Amino acid sequence: MACGSVYQSSRAPRVKMSAEEILVYAVELGKNSCLYFDELECDALCKEKILHRVLRNVNSQLLVVRPDLNVAAFEDVTDQEMQSGKGMHFSIHCYKTTTPLAGMPVAFSVQVEDKSYYMCCERECGEMIVRFKEGDVPKEIPGESNIIFFKKTFTSCSSKAFKFEYSMEKGMFLAFEEEGCLRKLTLKKLSKDEVDETMKISLCNFSQNENHNL
């Protein structure tokens, strides 16, 4: 943002003096004592931190991404396989938000061989599909994005487990569904006040079966 720039916003608070209304903006001093005028509300997201975890479902299976087969599914994994981390070691990119009640905005990426893949959602034949595409997660997101999910506590009784709501489809959460012998990663609609165990995801260290809060 340029020094001394002013952004007009219809949502800025107004102070009434006599017969005139004056827009009031948040002000802060930046580097070199430059004066900044900021809108009080902003939809842009800025990356705050990155956590490195494996994703475990209610059956204690780990999420494994196999880009060559275009598949992401929860699987039974040995400790040795987990240490190798092929398609299982996720980076969870956490973003700052001006709307904390929606949940913490996060994006997911995973390293497979020497390539990085990010999770996103796309509509295909009328259905929302979870995809992993080669590329990096951006540091800043100016508006809506199909890579952002809102992290929410699974239930008040399961504060160390989470569910992840797709930011562009309210009520749609990451989950798994049975497809043959696979428990494939998918998006699933959650009915009001429903508890769906297929949406329950725990975040664990690579080296030990231990949950961690974001």
Side-chain angles (χ1 to χ4, degrees):
M1 184 182 300
C3 297
S5 297
V6 178
Y7 286 79
Q8 300 295 323
S9 172
S10 61
R11 295 177 292 183
R14 297 174 184 270
V15 177
K16 195 165 186 177
M17 298 179 65
S18 301
E20 295 183 354
E21 285 187 340
I22 300 175
L23 293 178
V24 179
Y25 296 91
V27 178
E28 62 178 331
L29 289 176
K31 293 181 180 179
N32 302 320
S33 298
C34 292
L35 189 63
Y36 291 82
F37 294 85
D38 295 331
E39 293 184 11
L40 293 182
E41 295 183 32
C42 179
D43 294 328
L45 297 176
C46 182
K47 193 184 297 184
E48 186 173 31
K49 60 183 177 180
I50 302 176
L51 301 178
H52 302 285
R53 300 286 187 266
V54 292
L55 277 59
R56 194 180 292 276
N57 70 0
V58 68
N59 304 106
S60 294
Q61 296 173 308
L62 295 189
L63 181 60
V64 182
V65 178
R66 304 184 188 281
D68 55 331
L69 301 175
N70 198 26
V71 170
F74 289 94
E75 302 179 10
D76 294 314
V77 173
T78 66
D79 290 341
Q80 186 175 1
E81 288 172 329
M82 186 171 78
Q83 291 301 318
S84 71
K86 291 182 180 178
M88 311 172 206
H89 290 182
F90 284 84
S91 294
I92 303 172
H93 308 259
C94 308
Y95 290 82
K96 294 179 181 178
T97 178
T98 57
T99 55
L101 293 179
M104 178 184 288
V106 299
F108 298 91
S109 66
V110 64
Q111 197 80 12
V112 182
E113 303 298 339
D114 58 346
K115 296 179 180 179
S116 182
Y117 297 83
Y118 63 89
M119 185 193 297
C120 65
C121 296
E122 296 180 336
R123 189 170 293 280
E124 185 177 292
C125 299
E127 289 187 43
M128 293 302 301
I129 307 295
V130 182
R131 301 283 192 203
F132 281 85
K133 294 189 172 184
E134 186 177 344
D136 298 317
V137 171
K139 292 182 179 180
E140 295 184 1
I141 299 175
E144 289 187 334
S145 173
N146 69 343
I147 72 169
I148 291 294
F149 299 83
F150 293 126
K151 180 202 67 101
K152 302 170 182 280
T153 301
F154 183 69
T155 66
S156 59
C157 299
S158 301
S159 60
K160 292 186 177 181
F162 307 98
K163 55 188 176 186
F164 294 89
E165 184 177 25
Y166 180 41
S167 63
M168 297 180 68
E169 292 277 350
K170 187 172 178 60
M172 296 289 287
F173 289 82
L174 290 177
F176 67 83
E177 64 178 2
E178 306 280 350
E179 188 175 298
C181 59
L182 290 178
R183 287 191 167 111
K184 291 185 64 175
L185 184 66
T186 187
L187 276 180
K188 189 175 181 181
K189 185 74 174 179
L190 181 66
S191 301
K192 189 176 181 181
D193 299 326
E194 179 187 5
V195 176
D196 189 333
E197 293 284 318
T198 67
M199 299 177 182
K200 185 176 183 180
I201 297 177
S202 300
L203 308 176
C204 308
N205 274 344
F206 297 162
S207 58
Q208 52 186 318
N209 184 13
E210 179 182 353
N211 296 340
H212 288 264
N213 291 329
L214 285 179

